[in-house]
């Protein structure tokens, strides 16, 4: 690592001092020797400054504390005091809007966090909170700087506390572009969104060596904590990509769908997609037969502007869809059951996924649209023993606590407790619509008939014929499409082709909605 010379006594006039400043800045910008940069590139990774250039608008980056150096001694640290101390911090713009950023520089101390390194991150986090602007962390570091001992750990504590203070105040995005191990993994876990790049990025609390020593299990770094593991199995990662450029481009896109802070609403953009556009294709996309699956994503694409949406947690808990989109140029959050997976039933992971998404939308003033086609909660011993009651209650709590505009549409099935949990009118949905194919009921007609008419079916000369007749009777009495509308449980039964214009008009009406929760320090949501 090239050491920068201290200022010399010869530079006594202003011009000499300015020249000296330029030299220091150039060396700080250049970073360590070229060999370290080549090694970083050989790993398939960009440098911290190259990443910032991709994230922010051209020429907009303003760096803070580029000349900061650590003051630690021992273990040879006093002889290695590079400027930036392994993290680059500052602010710039994304599509003209202010964004704060910090980026670990793996070329310096492996991006490990020390006292000075942490102080720079603390400062940029405080600035982001004060300015009311999003914060993006580009993570590529080896954890705490062991040579600095407990002061490095204390630095992480300060980061965690600030993440918590900023939660629900400004959008926080973590981008994992290299190792993120031990206590460092809790920083991304506290943020709103986690992006990861396949092969080069890993997150775990204990690495493969520790796992092997303690459990005897052999596992690779990617097998333990790679992007696909966290995107499909653990749910830690919201978005996974093959390369850094595509990853950072979607970070930019996500920022356009979020407000700067919780006191603003997301920016509305002009659209060429007519607000009154009908979609007769919806009549064919969703089969009237409740037992036939279909792809809910295609329904969403028909409803939103230009069919464009950004799905959150696309590969985890796939029986429910959570996505950000625009309707007539205005950002909405959409929660929808996915009949292609587990028939759209709610389970533990789907409940957690949707609950956090609802909380995110509510925190940042994003209206919620819920599309229901849910047969109930997934039955099973594993689900009950895994705590489906408390996990399902998280989604119920999130919806009940949300004060943003809330509109729900029942496409087909809406059975039992899952119907109530999925933003029914009874838990506070502002407006509820249903398609003529809806079936809102305690359970399916077959199950209901087996319970209600068990004795009559058993005593019949032909139980199967009797059962079929009673199922038909139950369905005609309690499950016809207008039963809920007649009792005021839905506001209107609509033509599916009119769903987009109906949603646009309803959300426009609700744009000035104001709702207050009872005064309290905070709630105590289910765990």
């Amino acid at each position: 690592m090239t050491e920068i010379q201290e200022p010399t006594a010869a530079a006594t006039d202003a011009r000499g001092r300015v020249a000296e400043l330029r030299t220091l800045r150039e060396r700080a910008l250049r970073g360590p020797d070229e060999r370290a940069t080549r090694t970083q590139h050989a790993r398939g990774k960009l440098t911290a400054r190259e990443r910032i250039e991709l994230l922010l608008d051209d020429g907009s980056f303003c760096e803070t504390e580029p000349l900061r150096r650590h003051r630690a001694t021992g273990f040879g640290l006093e002889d290695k005091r590079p400027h930036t101390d392994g993290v680059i911090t500052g602010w710039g713009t994304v599509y003209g809007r202010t964004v704060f950023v910090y980026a670990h520089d793996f070329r310096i101390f492996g991006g490990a966090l020390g006292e000075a390194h942490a102080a720079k991150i603390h400062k940029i986090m405080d600035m982001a909170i004060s300015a009311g602007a999003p914060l993006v962390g580009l993570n590529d570091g080896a954890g705490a700087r062991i040579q600095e001992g407990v002061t490095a750990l204390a630095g992480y504590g300060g980061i965690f506390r600030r993440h918590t203070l900023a939660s629900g105040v400004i959008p926080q995005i973590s981008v994992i572009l290299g190792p993120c191990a031990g206590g460092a993994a809790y920083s991304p876990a506290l943020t709103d969104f986690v992006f990861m790049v396949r092969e080069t990025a890993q997150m775990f609390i204990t690495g493969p060596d520790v796992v092997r020593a303690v459990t005897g299990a052999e596992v690779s770094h990617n097998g333990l904590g790679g992007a696909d593991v966290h995107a499909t199995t653990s749910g830690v990662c919201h978005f996974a990509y093959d390369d850094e450029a595509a990853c950072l481009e979607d970070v930019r896109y996500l920022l356009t769908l979020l407000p700067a802070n919780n006191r603003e609403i997301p920016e509305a953009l002009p659209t060429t997609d007519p607000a009154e556009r009908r979609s007769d294709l919806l009549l064919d996309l969703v089969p009237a037969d409740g037992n036939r699956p279909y792809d809910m994503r295609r329904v969403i694409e028909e409803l939103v502007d230009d069919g464009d949406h950004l799905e959150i947690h696309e590969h985890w808990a796939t029986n429910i869809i959570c996505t950000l989109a625009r309707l007539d140029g205005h950002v909405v959050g959409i929660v929808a059951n996915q009949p292609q997976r587990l028939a759209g039933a709610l389970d533990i992971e789907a409940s957690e996924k949707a609950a956090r998404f609802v909380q995110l939308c509510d925190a940042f003033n994003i209206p919620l649209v819920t599309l229901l086609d849910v047969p109930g909660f997934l039955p099973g011993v594993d689900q009950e023993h895994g705590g489906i009651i408390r996990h399902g209650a998280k989604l119920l709590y999130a919806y009940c606590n949300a004060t943003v505009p809330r509109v729900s549409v029942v496409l087909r099935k809406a059975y039992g407790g899952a119907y109530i949990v999925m933003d029914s009118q009874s838990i506070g949905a502002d407006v509820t619509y249903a398609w003529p194919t809806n079936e809102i009921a305690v359970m399916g007609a077959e199950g209901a008939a087996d319970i209600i008419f068990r004795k009559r079916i058993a005593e019949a000369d032909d139980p199967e014929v009797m059962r079929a007749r009673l199922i038909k009777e139950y369905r005609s009495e309690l499950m016809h499409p207008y039963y809920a509308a007649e009792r005021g449980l839905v506001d209107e039964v609509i033509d599916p082709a009119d769903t987009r214009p109906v949603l646009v008009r309803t959300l426009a009406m609700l744009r000035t909605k104001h709702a207050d929760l009872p005064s309290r320090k905070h709630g105590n949501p289910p765990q």
Side-chain angles (χ1 to χ4, degrees):
M1 186 177 294
T2 302
E3 181 62 28
I4 297 171
Q5 300 297 318
E6 297 291 342
T8 63
T12 56
D13 63 342
R15 285 184 172 81
R17 290 298 173 92
V18 169
E20 187 177 71
L21 171 61
R22 286 175 180 159
T23 300
L24 287 173
R25 281 181 171 173
E26 287 171 2
R27 290 180 178 176
L29 285 171
R30 193 163 57 243
D33 59 45
E34 283 299 315
R35 184 174 59 182
T37 301
R38 287 195 300 270
T39 301
Q40 180 80 348
H41 287 162
R43 294 189 179 104
K45 302 195 295 183
L46 300 175
T47 66
R49 294 190 185 277
E50 289 169 340
R51 290 162 175 166
I52 290 173
E53 288 176 4
L54 284 176
L55 173 67
L56 301 177
D57 297 337
D58 290 344
S60 69
F61 182 53
C62 300
E63 189 171 355
T64 60
E65 299 190 344
L67 303 182
R68 186 76 178 250
R69 302 164 78 182
H70 74 74
R71 54 189 177 184
T73 58
F75 306 102
L77 285 179
E78 61 273 15
D79 299 323
K80 296 179 181 178
R81 300 181 62 234
H83 289 296
T84 74
D85 199 49
V87 65
I88 298 166
T89 59
W91 73 90
T93 60
V94 172
Y95 297 111
R97 301 167 64 214
T98 299
V99 172
F100 288 82
V101 61
Y102 65 86
H104 299 137
D105 191 340
F106 194 82
R107 300 173 303 166
I108 298 175
F109 298 127
L113 181 137
E115 180 187 27
H117 182 121
K120 290 181 66 175
I121 296 177
H122 295 168
K123 181 173 181 177
I124 209 66
M125 295 179 78
D126 290 339
M127 292 174 69
I129 296 170
S130 296
L135 174 72
V136 178
L138 305 179
N139 295 264
D140 184 8
R145 196 173 298 170
I146 299 171
Q147 301 94 318
E148 294 195 29
V150 72
T151 56
L153 294 178
Y156 274 124
I159 292 172
F160 302 157
R161 182 170 65 87
R162 286 168 173 83
H163 277 314
T164 304
L165 292 174
S167 179
V169 178
I170 57 171
Q172 300 181 85
I173 299 173
S174 294
V175 188
I176 315 303
L177 302 161
C180 188
Y186 283 113
S187 170
L190 289 167
T191 60
D192 299 307
F193 299 98
V194 176
F195 290 70
M196 293 185 73
V197 174
R198 294 183 178 93
E199 301 304 324
T200 57
Q202 301 91 31
M203 290 177 68
F204 37 68
I205 299 299
T206 55
D209 293 340
V210 176
V211 170
R212 185 186 308 112
V214 174
T215 70
E218 293 285 345
V219 64
S220 67
H221 284 80
N222 281 317
L224 182 62
D228 287 326
V229 168
H230 287 308
T232 62
T233 304
S234 72
V236 171
C237 170
H238 299 78
F239 305 95
Y241 298 86
D242 291 330
D243 62 84
E244 295 189 14
C247 176
L248 293 170
E249 182 57 38
D250 263 12
V251 173
R252 287 172 58 86
Y253 177 42
L254 173 61
L255 286 166
T256 68
L257 297 168
L258 301 172
N261 56 64
N262 65 341
R263 300 183 301 277
E264 299 182 6
I265 61 173
E267 183 181 12
L269 298 178
T271 178
T272 57
D273 195 347
E276 295 299 314
R277 171 174 58 80
R278 281 172 49 88
S279 178
D280 290 319
L281 183 60
L282 290 172
L283 297 168
D284 301 316
L285 281 178
V286 181
D289 181 356
N291 294 319
R292 289 178 58 194
Y294 61 93
D295 189 354
M296 183 65 83
R297 287 191 185 89
R298 295 192 62 195
V299 174
I300 293 169
E301 289 165 4
E302 281 297 305
L303 297 177
V304 302
D305 292 354
D306 303 310
D308 191 22
H309 63 104
L310 183 63
E311 188 170 347
I312 316 299
H313 270 141
E314 179 180 358
H315 303 293
W316 180 65
T318 54
N319 43 321
I320 201 160
I321 296 171
C322 299
T323 192
L324 294 171
R326 292 183 185 273
L327 278 169
D328 195 28
H330 296 270
V331 177
V332 295
I334 299 175
V335 181
N337 306 108
Q338 174 57 293
Q340 280 193 333
R341 174 68 176 167
L342 299 178
L346 290 176
D347 63 356
I348 289 171
E349 291 183 344
S351 299
E352 288 191 335
K353 170 180 168 178
R356 191 150 194 272
F357 182 73
V358 169
Q359 290 170 339
L360 172 96
C361 291
D362 187 50
F364 293 114
N365 308 311
I366 299 172
L368 285 160
V369 173
T370 304
L371 305 178
L372 287 86
D373 191 346
V374 60
F377 282 95
L378 186 69
V381 175
D382 290 344
Q383 288 291 307
E384 295 295 343
H385 289 184
I388 185 61
I389 295 172
R390 61 186 175 88
H391 290 289
K394 293 177 184 179
L395 180 54
L396 179 60
Y397 186 98
Y399 268 126
C400 290
N401 206 45
T403 60
V404 292
R406 291 156 51 188
V407 182
S408 62
V409 183
V410 181
L411 277 61
R412 251 183 3 180
K413 300 185 298 295
Y415 294 163
Y419 153 63
I420 299 298
V421 167
M422 288 287 292
D423 207 19
S424 63
Q425 192 177 93
S426 61
I427 66 168
D430 295 298
V431 184
T432 304
Y433 297 108
W435 286 5
T437 47
N438 83 82
E439 290 185 353
I440 303 175
V442 175
M443 62 176 65
E446 292 81 1
D450 288 341
I451 294 172
I452 298 172
F453 306 116
R454 180 176 64 249
K455 189 173 181 180
R456 287 179 62 184
I457 293 171
E459 293 174 348
D461 294 335
D462 190 334
E464 285 304 315
V465 172
M466 176 62 74
R467 181 175 182 271
R469 183 172 70 80
L470 293 173
I471 288 172
K472 184 177 180 180
E473 179 182 318
Y474 180 85
R475 181 174 280 117
S476 64
E477 287 291 325
L478 296 178
M479 294 183 66
H480 62 78
Y482 307 102
Y483 183 85
E486 291 169 359
R487 285 150 182 81
L489 298 176
V490 299
D491 292 282
E492 189 178 356
V493 179
I494 63 173
D495 181 346
D498 288 328
T499 305
R500 173 179 165 85
V502 166
L503 288 174
V504 168
R505 290 194 296 266
T506 305
L507 290 169
M509 176 273 294
L510 290 169
R511 206 155 287 141
T512 55
K513 175 186 175 181
H514 177 77
D516 289 319
L517 294 173
S519 177
R520 58 184 175 185
K521 186 175 181 180
H522 57 74
N524 187 25
Q527 296 298 317

